[in-house]
Amino acid sequence: MLIGLDMGGTHTDAVLISEGEVVEHVKVLTDPADFLASIEQALNTLLKHRDPAAIRRINLSTTVCTNAIVEGKTEPVGLLLIPGPGLNPSFLTCAKVTVILQGSIDHRGRETSPLKREELESARRQFQDNGIRCLAAVGKFSVRNPAHELEIAHLLEGSYDFITLGHRLSGRLAFPRRVYTAYLNSSVWRVYSRFAGAVRSYVESKGLKIEPFILKADGGTLTLASAVNTPVETILSGPAASIMGALALAPVEDDFVILDIGGTTTDIAFCAGGVPLFEPQGIRLGPYPTLVRSFFVHSVGLGGDSSIRIVDGRMAIGPQRQGPPAALGGPAPTPTDALITLGLLQLGDRGRAERAIESLGKPVGLSIRETAQSALDEFTAGIARTVNQLLHYLNSRPVYTIREVLTERKLEPRRVIAVGAPAPLLKPFLEKASGLPVEVPSLAGVANAVGAALSHPTATLALFADTERGVLTAPEIGWQERIDRSFSLEQARRRAFALLEQRLRELGYTGGVPELEVIEEQAFNMVRGFYTVGRNIRLKVQNRPSLIGLKGGTYDHA
């Protein structure tokens, strides 16, 4: 049996899947003050009267790290940068204390200037004065040669709780993105570690002999233990769970829009020919562009609990969520109150919902029913406007799917797949606003937990070969071997695939043969004088996100 759990800002959903069917699902309110209590409540319900030995896997998605960043509750970080010559790094000083170190590695991975130990000692004193316990160290060309980052780790490890080394996050150069990603990774390390430790304790207390997995922003999974070193990859795992859930519950092969309508936000994603669109460079978190691999997802502040108000005689909804709906004691009318007022939803105190909606419409001369209807029309029209704006943006540039770059191709959605608890009730309003047919899967209310449960592990791996130096490296896994001058691009491909498959098995991939692909590839001769002195080969490989199929469906890809 498989368990999937998604902890959102409003609800925590969980499902139990046995022999390819969802046999039980549960939805509980998320307690913002105690996330783990929400997880325990959901899992306790699913595990009641179950044999723990029958549980083969628990996959979770969580907002713990995302919320920590959004709410500014991250760990203070000490950032050590080695930018080398030719770059003013002042725009990268994002940490509480940022120290610029001398020393440099060139673009081919050769050390051109060593680190200065006295600068590291000075940095140590600054970190101590500021109470810093977590560090990030990033060199401009560390993916070509991580020697300086490793030297820093060797000298400082043991004195700090956690150090992120930039070359372990991605094989791409992209120095500014690497700096921001490393900083964020260290800033959320403590909150994620507490979460992971508590989940592991809970699993052990229930006698479950399994390692939980956590969903990443790209729709793949990672063991809870592995993610402790790269917690930044778990950011935005909730939207990824929704996409994987929609693909599992309603697989189609044309262009379509995925909407996950929650209590606080609506997440919007797109598929081209049934395949999700991807962020080619990495997601942006607030002001920080990162190297975190992710689906293309846009969150708009329109959810069932968004507050409704009148501004200059017009109805305005969101992006604020002031609390639960008025029917549940909240301070402001919401789209959920409008559904209750129209008799479409039985929840809480209908009288409170009606009074809240009435107070909203009275000043502008609308009846209770007209106000509720207008609120839902405006709510869904806001979502449709955002979808159209995103479509215009996507169609003005190449479209990147998880599989390929689709040039000269316009995205033309034929339908909307809507998930989330309010989706069934909003279906007619969404069809009116979007002008597209809207499909709502039967388990739309827990689609995100279904997606989490069925997702396989994913990984990327970069490989660099310098035949003149005789070195082949895979920086993300800290691997290196010697090669001779005849080492070829084809040999590099085979080595990269073998290392990636080994990495996936270590991460808990239990499906068949993973679908591997080359996503970046370069090979060029290095010339000195009039002679070729070697070849420089650069590769990046990945496996595509995939799903365990549900009974009755043939879907097994993303």
Side-chain angles (χ1 to χ4, degrees):
M1 287 187 284
L2 310 176
I3 288 178
L5 183 144
D6 175 80
M7 191 185 70
T10 305
H11 290 104
T12 296
D13 303 327
V15 298
L16 183 70
I17 297 176
S18 178
E19 297 181 355
E21 292 185 282
V22 178
V23 295
E24 189 170 349
H25 54 85
V26 61
K27 182 182 288 288
V28 303
L29 285 173
T30 297
D31 180 354
D34 191 349
F35 290 142
L36 284 168
S38 307
I39 291 174
E40 288 181 7
Q41 186 183 355
L43 292 182
N44 281 341
T45 303
L46 288 185
L47 293 172
K48 196 174 183 180
H49 307 307
R50 305 281 181 189
D51 177 8
I55 305 299
R56 291 193 292 115
R57 180 174 291 187
I58 295 179
N59 287 356
L60 307 104
S61 66
T62 175
T63 59
V64 165
C65 292
T66 308
N67 288 346
I69 293 172
V70 171
E71 296 172 13
K73 296 179 179 176
T74 54
E75 179 87 2
V77 174
L79 184 58
L80 294 155
L81 297 183
I82 320 159
L87 174 71
N88 181 352
S90 59
F91 70 102
L92 297 172
T93 56
C94 51
K96 182 172 184 178
V97 174
T98 301
V99 177
I100 311 297
L101 300 175
Q102 297 186 58
S104 63
I105 303 284
D106 73 8
H107 68 287
R108 284 185 55 194
R110 298 170 299 196
E111 183 184 69
T112 55
S113 175
L115 292 176
K116 294 184 180 300
R117 298 289 179 92
E118 59 271 25
E119 289 185 340
L120 282 174
E121 288 305 315
S122 174
R124 192 198 297 269
R125 288 192 292 275
Q126 292 183 62
F127 299 152
Q128 184 174 359
D129 292 344
N130 285 275
I132 288 171
R133 301 294 308 159
C134 291
L135 306 181
V138 190
K140 185 176 180 182
F141 289 111
S142 62
V143 294
R144 304 286 167 79
N145 181 352
H148 286 173
E149 290 182 6
L150 293 172
E151 184 178 347
I152 289 171
H154 175 70
L155 293 171
L156 299 183
E157 262 178 353
S159 301
Y160 296 89
D161 297 335
F162 183 69
I163 303 178
T164 299
L165 301 182
H167 72 279
R168 296 290 174 84
L169 297 174
S170 169
R172 292 174 53 199
L173 283 174
F175 182 55
R177 282 181 180 266
R178 183 180 310 281
V179 171
Y180 294 133
T181 310
Y183 158 69
L184 289 172
N185 196 57
S186 288
S187 75
V188 299
W189 171 80
R190 195 174 303 282
V191 67
Y192 177 79
S193 296
R194 287 174 180 154
F195 167 81
V199 170
R200 191 171 296 107
S201 296
Y202 172 82
V203 168
E204 290 171 358
S205 74
K206 293 295 179 182
L208 298 169
K209 307 295 185 186
I210 55 175
E211 169 69 20
F213 285 74
I214 191 155
L215 204 68
K216 300 186 298 177
D218 69 356
T221 60
L222 193 62
T223 63
L224 207 62
S226 298
V228 168
N229 292 321
T230 55
V232 71
E233 291 200 65
T234 70
I235 288 170
L236 298 184
S237 63
S242 302
I243 293 172
M244 299 303 276
L247 294 171
L249 295 171
V252 290
E253 295 185 352
D254 53 19
D255 292 2
F256 60 95
V257 183
I258 297 174
L259 299 179
D260 180 11
I261 307 169
T264 308
T265 61
T266 293
D267 295 328
I268 303 169
F270 298 88
C271 288
V275 181
L277 296 197
F278 221 62
E279 285 282 4
Q281 303 299 322
I283 54 174
R284 174 179 284 272
L285 294 165
Y288 305 119
T290 75
L291 290 170
V292 177
R293 192 167 173 256
S294 170
F295 291 131
F296 177 89
V297 181
H298 181 86
S299 293
V300 58
L302 291 168
D305 296 349
S306 296
S307 60
I308 310 174
R309 61 208 180 278
I310 299 294
V311 179
D312 297 330
R314 296 175 62 88
M315 195 167 289
I317 304 177
Q320 298 86 4
R321 178 184 184 271
Q322 296 182 25
L328 298 177
T334 68
T336 298
D337 290 312
L339 290 168
I340 295 169
T341 298
L342 292 174
L344 299 174
L345 176 64
Q346 308 299 316
L347 179 70
D349 185 335
R350 180 169 178 172
R352 287 179 63 94
E354 289 178 340
R355 288 192 291 277
I357 293 294
E358 181 181 27
S359 67
L360 191 69
K362 205 169 187 177
V364 291
L366 294 176
S367 68
I368 294 178
R369 188 169 187 81
E370 288 171 334
T371 306
Q373 182 77 39
S374 296
L376 296 176
D377 284 341
E378 180 56 35
F379 176 61
T380 49
I383 295 172
R385 279 195 298 273
T386 306
V387 168
N388 289 331
Q389 290 166 359
L390 292 170
L391 270 174
H392 178 74
Y393 166 72
L394 291 169
N395 282 330
S396 65
R397 64 176 197 166
V399 177
Y400 294 80
T401 72
I402 193 76
R403 291 183 167 173
E404 58 190 329
V405 180
L406 304 177
T407 55
E408 298 180 0
R409 184 201 195 283
K410 288 191 69 175
L411 195 64
E412 297 177 337
R414 304 293 179 84
R415 70 189 83 199
V416 173
I417 307 294
V419 298
L425 306 175
L426 293 170
K427 181 176 184 290
F429 298 94
L430 288 169
E431 287 183 330
K432 177 183 173 185
S434 68
L436 292 171
V438 176
E439 297 178 17
V440 180
S442 60
L443 291 168
V446 291
N448 40 14
V450 173
L454 298 176
S455 295
H456 281 305
T458 57
T460 60
L461 187 137
L463 198 73
F464 300 102
D466 186 330
T467 64
E468 183 190 16
R469 295 174 58 225
V471 176
L472 183 67
T473 59
E476 290 137 319
I477 57 174
W479 176 88
Q480 185 176 94
E481 74 176 24
R482 301 297 300 178
I483 55 174
D484 59 35
R485 284 179 174 267
S486 65
F487 190 78
S488 66
L489 178 59
E490 183 56 35
Q491 286 176 292
R493 289 194 196 107
R494 289 199 298 270
R495 201 74 181 98
F497 283 154
L499 286 170
L500 179 60
E501 185 161 354
Q502 178 184 332
R503 173 70 172 152
L504 286 167
R505 300 298 177 192
E506 291 169 355
L507 293 175
Y509 187 95
T510 56
V513 178
E515 196 175 1
L516 309 181
E517 62 185 350
V518 177
I519 54 174
E520 293 175 17
E521 182 175 283
Q522 291 179 302
F524 52 87
N525 293 332
M526 294 178 287
V527 177
R528 187 172 300 123
F530 295 100
Y531 300 97
T532 298
V533 295
R535 281 175 66 78
N536 193 310
I537 300 170
R538 304 167 188 174
L539 277 177
K540 187 173 184 182
V541 294
Q542 68 177 20
N543 70 308
R544 294 169 182 163
S546 59
L547 288 160
I548 300 168
L550 284 174
K551 185 176 285 185
T554 57
Y555 190 80
D556 195 29
H557 72 276

